Amino acid sequence: LSCLEAHEVWRRVICNRLMVRWYVLISLGISLVASAAPTWIPLAQPFSLLIGQKASLDSGNLTVRVLGIQDSRCPKGVTCIVAGEAKVRLGLSEKGKSLGALELTLSAAPDPKNTGHLGSYYLRLLDVQPYPNANTVSKPARTVRLEVQKTPFK
């Protein structure tokens, strides 16, 4: 390379690095602005959470957190004597004050315990995914699907 060609190569490298830095800074700025704005889930609209995740509902008045999941449902591909159940433990707080914990159960029983009441809110456990599978070696992250409202479920 001649001296002029080498100079041009370095100029392009420096220019590209500056463009990447600006792109990263702009991306970070956009994500910071996006994360600063609170996102609230409207009441009576189903939503999903992982263990440890929390959601704000009712214009931020209610916070729901998944504290734990126990899943003993009969896996796909297995014949079981009992269908099993999935139990989900939730923590609730209203305006920053703890309402306590609530356990909801998803089962095939005729008297389902998938609904509960805490404070002025009614909660319903809709689903726990993925459904256990006998052929799966790894334990994938479980997702809980919930619905919250201020009136009892019918």
Side-chain angles (χ1 to χ4, degrees):
L1 291 173
S2 73
C3 187
L4 287 174
E5 289 173 329
H7 177 70
E8 180 63 24
V9 168
W10 279 109
R11 187 184 69 74
R12 286 184 181 170
V13 167
I14 291 170
C15 184
N16 285 342
R17 284 186 179 171
L18 286 173
M19 287 176 58
V20 167
R21 287 182 183 160
W22 276 107
Y23 176 76
V24 168
L25 287 174
I26 289 170
S27 297
L28 284 174
I30 289 171
S31 66
L32 287 174
V33 168
S35 65
T39 54
W40 297 315
I41 299 168
L43 291 176
Q45 176 181 315
F47 61 97
S48 297
L49 293 173
L50 295 167
I51 292 179
Q53 278 190 318
K54 63 182 178 180
S56 293
L57 295 99
D58 194 18
S59 300
N61 291 324
L62 177 70
T63 302
V64 177
R65 179 187 296 267
V66 178
L67 301 175
I69 301 171
Q70 292 179 341
D71 196 348
S72 65
R73 295 177 290 176
C74 183
K76 291 179 186 174
V78 175
T79 303
C80 299
I81 297 170
V82 179
E85 59 191 15
K87 291 183 178 184
V88 177
R89 188 164 172 80
L90 304 168
L92 280 77
S93 58
E94 185 174 22
K95 297 179 183 174
K97 183 180 175 187
S98 175
L99 294 175
L102 180 67
E103 186 172 274
L104 301 176
T105 303
L106 193 63
S107 69
D111 182 25
K113 296 179 180 168
N114 68 327
T115 61
H117 177 256
L118 203 53
S120 59
Y121 297 95
Y122 293 84
L123 291 89
R124 177 166 46 190
L125 176 59
L126 300 171
D127 200 6
V128 177
Q129 286 295 325
Y131 195 90
N133 189 328
N135 298 323
T136 304
V137 176
S138 66
K139 284 196 165 192
R142 300 252 184 247
T143 302
V144 175
R145 189 144 176 83
L146 301 164
E147 187 176 1
V148 179
Q149 57 190 41
K150 285 196 170 185
T151 57
F153 292 99
K154 296 178 181 181

